[in-house]
Amino acid sequence: MSSPENGPTPPEGVPDKVATELPQLTPDELRNTIIYAQELLRFHDETDSPVEPGPNEEILRATKRDGYTEVVKRTTCAEECADCPHGPYLYHVKEETRPEGGTKVRWMFLGEVYPDEE
């Protein structure tokens, strides 16, 4: 799959047709597409993913497993150091129920992912 020049790369598992058409959408169309996709997930009794990239992060892969989500992501320093980007790194992400109520997303760092492991 290809992405627009200097644009994000679609994660593994995104159908080619969707990956080709999404970059053509306006920001408003993209926002509406996200809303529609979230509604479809709720329709299929799926909850929102606790996996959201932070500032200067790129999620390369997110795979749901039993009890957690396996995430491979790369980070870029705010100062754009000479070694950027860093990673990719492997995390296990779990949404945990808090004793006082509500939930918290916990990211457990597992280590660097080497090219032959991807």
Side-chain angles (χ1 to χ4, degrees):
M1 279 183 250
S2 63
S3 63
E5 191 172 324
N6 298 324
T9 301
E12 186 176 311
V14 173
D16 289 339
K17 183 177 179 179
V18 173
T20 301
E21 292 187 22
L22 281 176
Q24 311 301 321
L25 300 178
T26 66
D28 282 340
E29 290 170 328
L30 284 169
R31 285 184 202 90
N32 289 332
T33 301
I34 291 167
I35 291 167
Y36 178 57
Q38 289 172 335
E39 289 172 355
L40 286 172
L41 281 172
R42 282 190 288 280
F43 177 77
H44 290 289
D45 293 325
E46 292 282 333
T47 57
D48 291 340
S49 171
V51 178
E52 295 292 332
N56 303 316
E57 294 179 342
E58 176 187 9
I59 293 181
L60 303 176
R61 183 176 69 237
T63 308
K64 281 197 108 158
R65 305 281 188 205
D66 190 26
Y68 67 95
T69 302
E70 180 182 282
V71 177
V72 175
K73 72 178 179 177
R74 186 181 348 235
T75 60
T76 305
C77 298
E79 300 85 35
E80 306 256 345
C81 74
D83 294 329
C84 280
H86 303 280
Y89 301 117
L90 176 63
Y91 295 84
H92 281 185
V93 182
K94 291 177 70 172
E95 195 165 17
E96 300 175 341
T97 303
R98 306 294 296 176
E100 63 275 6
T103 59
K104 177 178 174 126
V105 177
R106 182 160 319 272
W107 288 71
M108 183 170 39
F109 175 74
L110 297 177
E112 190 167 357
V113 176
Y114 298 99
D116 59 344
E117 294 176 354
E118 282 196 90

